[in-house]
Amino acid sequence: MDEFLDPLDSQQEDPSGELERLAREALEAQAETNDPIATRQRCQRVIDLYAGGWIQNERDNFYAAWVMICGESQGHFSLAQLFARRSAELGEDRAWTLWAMAWDRWLVAAGKPQRFGTQIIKQHGRWSLGVVDPAISDLERALFAVPPLYVQLQRAEQLQRQENN
């Protein structure tokens, strides 16, 4: 690994703290104007930490999932699913929703219907959920701590009203 990126370097922060910071930066960037170069750098740093074996516990996996879900590619979203699933399996309850979000983001990027309806997207100049798999019930959404579909639809409508005003 590049000496500059070595998590054990005394000048660098510990990997867990770095993952938390990267996740916070990724979420802040989503709320503001997203910088694609910074997004790629954050995602690459998570990949480097993963390759080095530094992402091990539920918390590290949770933060790594947040960074990757804010990425740009299906590969990023696939890794977000992996990290979120690992985090949930290790006991982080918040990771179930993140797992559903990563799954939906991957499906939307692939041009397929969402399973859970977590992704509000802009289509033809309007905010919507796009196509959502009708076979997925609100009970299954609840198992992943995702609100019922009608709530997600209301959120998309609210976003559209805010944009119109």
Side-chain angles (χ1 to χ4, degrees):
M1 188 183 303
D2 186 338
E3 186 175 304
F4 176 75
L5 297 176
D6 186 354
L8 296 178
D9 185 332
S10 62
Q11 300 294 332
Q12 300 292 321
E13 60 194 316
D14 71 284
S16 293
E18 183 178 7
L19 286 164
E20 184 175 358
R21 178 183 54 78
L22 291 169
R24 188 176 53 254
E25 289 173 3
L27 291 171
E28 288 169 359
Q30 291 287 305
E32 300 169 2
T33 304
N34 199 4
D35 176 2
I37 294 171
T39 296
R40 284 183 214 112
Q41 289 172 337
R42 282 189 294 272
C43 289
Q44 186 57 54
R45 183 63 180 141
V46 169
I47 292 167
D48 291 343
L49 288 169
Y50 179 53
W54 295 103
I55 301 174
Q56 297 179 354
N57 63 37
E58 67 276 6
R59 185 177 170 177
D60 291 349
N61 278 279
F62 181 75
Y63 290 127
W66 266 121
V67 173
M68 299 312 285
I69 202 170
C70 294
E72 302 176 313
S73 70
Q74 279 187 278
H76 292 159
F77 308 145
S78 185
L79 280 172
Q81 287 181 67
L82 171 80
F83 293 134
R85 186 188 80 231
R86 286 174 53 180
S87 181
E89 290 171 349
L90 289 168
E92 176 56 72
D93 290 336
R94 298 174 299 169
W96 289 99
T97 305
L98 195 54
W99 186 2
M101 291 168 60
W103 196 345
D104 275 352
R105 191 158 287 191
W106 185 91
L107 289 167
V108 168
K112 298 179 181 182
Q114 298 186 58
R115 289 184 56 84
F116 302 98
T118 62
Q119 302 301 299
I120 299 174
I121 56 178
K122 199 163 199 172
Q123 289 184 314
H124 312 294
R126 295 196 55 79
W127 291 103
S128 75
L129 298 181
V131 181
V132 179
D133 184 346
I136 305 304
S137 68
D138 283 342
L139 176 60
E140 188 169 353
R141 285 180 185 87
L143 293 173
F144 282 82
V146 173
L149 191 57
Y150 79 89
V151 172
Q152 299 295 82
L153 290 166
Q154 288 175 342
R155 288 180 178 165
E157 290 170 8
Q158 180 183 27
L159 187 58
Q160 186 61 47
R161 281 193 303 275
Q162 287 174 346
E163 187 172 288
N164 290 342
N165 293 332

